[in-house]
């Protein structure tokens, strides 16, 4: 079985799907689209209902959305499963996955878009060698215009980002709790591990967030679910915005 994974540079749900494909041992090729052009390609070119990635082309069809893809992968290749068979455990994994997609993913998207607009220097580190055939060096030069639009579309305002940073300790606490309860980071990785882990893994690419997350169970999960995540951003967030996370981390 061969697949093609359409994503965007730095996209955390794309990395979640990449982890699932690797777990399943499905051979795939990743294709990163150009931001915003991706909307037209996905919506008009591929005739999909949303304008977002990830999109997985597999078994003659295209599946859009990280949660839909997880279910389709389990259908096409049941072993190893991404969802537990036990109904109670399944409910818990479904809820952690839902929360990861609906509540965690977007604030982290806002943080990273805001950060890339504040300092464009690390943009190239989030890219592969090419983006839709365009060399990364050229892509990185064009990226700020796309990022500025992404900031607007995703409402990655100072206020939102400050609030997201203030809420981060509680979000990480929730993940740590699920890990303690055996819902996440168990013996076998599940769909929620990839969903949540990829978001935390993106946070770990930020030098000013990394030391405040390192050592937490959520950090262990992120590194396990997504061992390598392209990108490394120097400190960018105003220290006052990091204070809630810093004091929760005991520093
Ligand atoms: N929550 C959905 C959507 C993901 C999503 O919003 N993806 C972003 C990249 S991380 C995207 O495609 N953005 C393109 C755009 O808004 O133009 C999922 O998990 O599949």
């Amino acid at each position: 079985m061969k697949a093609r994974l359409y994503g965007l540079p730095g996209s955390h749900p794309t990395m979640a799907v990449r982890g699932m494909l690797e777990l399943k041992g499905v051979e795939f090729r990743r294709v990163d689209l150009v931001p915003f052009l991706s909307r037209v390609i996905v919506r008009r070119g591929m005739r999909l209902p949303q304008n977002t990635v990830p999109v997985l082309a597999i078994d003659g069809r295209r599946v859009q959305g990280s949660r839909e893809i997880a279910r389709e992968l389990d259908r096409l290749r049941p072993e190893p499963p991404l969802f537990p068979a036990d109904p109670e455990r399944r409910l818990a994994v479904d809820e952690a996955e839902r929360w990861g997609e609906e509540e965690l993913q977007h604030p982290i998207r806002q943080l990273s878009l805001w950060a890339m607009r504040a300092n464009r220097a690390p943009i190239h580190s989030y890219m592969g060698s090419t983006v839709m055939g365009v060399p990364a060096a050229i892509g990185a030069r064009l990226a700020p215009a796309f990022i500025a639009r992404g900031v607007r579309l995703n409402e990655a305002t100072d206020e939102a980002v400050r609030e997201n940073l203030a809420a981060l300790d509680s979000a990480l606490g929730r993940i740590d709790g699920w890990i303690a309860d055996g819902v996440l980071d168990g013996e076998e990785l599940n769909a929620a591990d990839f969903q949540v882990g990829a978001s935390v893994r993106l946070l770990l690419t930020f030098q000013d967030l990394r030391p405040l997350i390192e050592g937490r169970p959520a950090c262990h999960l992120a590194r396990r679910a997504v061992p390598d995540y392209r990108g490394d951003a120097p400190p960018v967030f105003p220290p006052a915005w990091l204070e809630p996370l810093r004091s929760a981390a005991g520093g």
Side-chain angles (χ1 to χ4, degrees):
M1 192 184 301
K2 278 195 180 165
R4 187 173 288 200
L5 171 59
Y6 295 95
L8 282 170
S11 159
H12 42 325
T14 303
M15 292 303 278
V17 172
R18 194 193 78 169
M20 296 177 209
L21 288 164
E22 285 171 352
L23 178 84
K24 295 278 189 188
V26 173
E27 212 182 306
F28 71 98
R29 194 159 83 78
R30 176 167 169 170
V31 180
D32 272 347
L33 305 176
V34 172
F36 293 98
L37 197 51
S38 67
R39 296 183 152 231
V40 181
I41 294 171
V42 166
R43 197 72 181 263
R44 301 235 180 100
M46 298 185 185
R47 295 173 189 278
L48 289 165
Q50 310 296 326
N51 51 22
T52 56
V53 295
V55 170
L56 186 71
I58 191 164
D59 202 34
R61 50 186 296 251
R62 294 193 185 100
V63 189
Q64 184 173 43
S66 51
R67 282 160 77 191
E68 291 75 7
I69 293 171
R71 281 152 186 80
E72 181 65 3
L73 282 175
D74 252 13
R75 195 183 69 77
L76 291 171
R77 185 167 291 191
E79 294 298 327
L82 283 165
F83 296 94
D86 172 72
E88 211 171 302
R89 293 198 55 231
R90 169 73 197 239
L91 273 181
V93 168
D94 277 345
E95 172 52 16
E97 187 205 28
R98 183 209 62 76
W99 176 84
E101 199 239 344
E102 292 179 7
E103 296 182 45
L104 181 68
Q105 212 187 77
H106 190 62
I108 292 179
R109 181 175 298 112
Q110 289 176 314
L111 290 181
S112 38
L113 283 165
W114 186 96
M116 293 302 134
R117 193 188 51 178
N119 178 14
R120 63 178 68 174
I123 288 174
H124 74 277
S125 72
Y126 288 81
M127 294 177 158
S129 52
T130 60
V131 180
M132 278 175 67
V134 178
I138 298 174
R141 250 179 276 145
L142 301 174
F146 295 121
I147 286 169
R149 291 191 68 188
V151 163
R152 274 201 304 280
L153 269 171
N154 288 282
E155 298 174 331
T157 60
D158 289 5
E159 199 185 22
V161 170
R162 188 173 191 160
E163 272 172 25
N164 295 346
L165 286 168
L168 211 47
D169 176 60
S170 132
L172 292 168
R174 191 160 184 160
I175 300 168
D176 292 346
W178 271 318
I179 294 172
D181 294 343
V183 176
L184 297 178
D185 210 10
E187 216 165 290
E188 308 290 344
L189 289 172
N190 61 46
D193 286 313
F194 290 110
Q195 182 64 246
V196 166
S199 284
V200 178
R201 190 67 186 79
L202 174 54
L203 291 177
L204 291 172
T205 66
F206 291 95
Q207 289 175 21
D208 39 14
L209 298 181
R210 206 181 298 151
L212 304 175
I213 301 173
E214 208 88 61
R216 292 183 79 133
C219 176
H220 179 269
L221 164 65
R223 291 201 187 282
R224 181 179 167 210
V226 188
D228 55 319
Y229 199 118
R230 204 176 261 140
D232 183 41
V236 64
F237 299 109
W241 296 10
L242 295 171
E243 208 38 59
L245 189 58
R246 197 182 300 285
S247 45

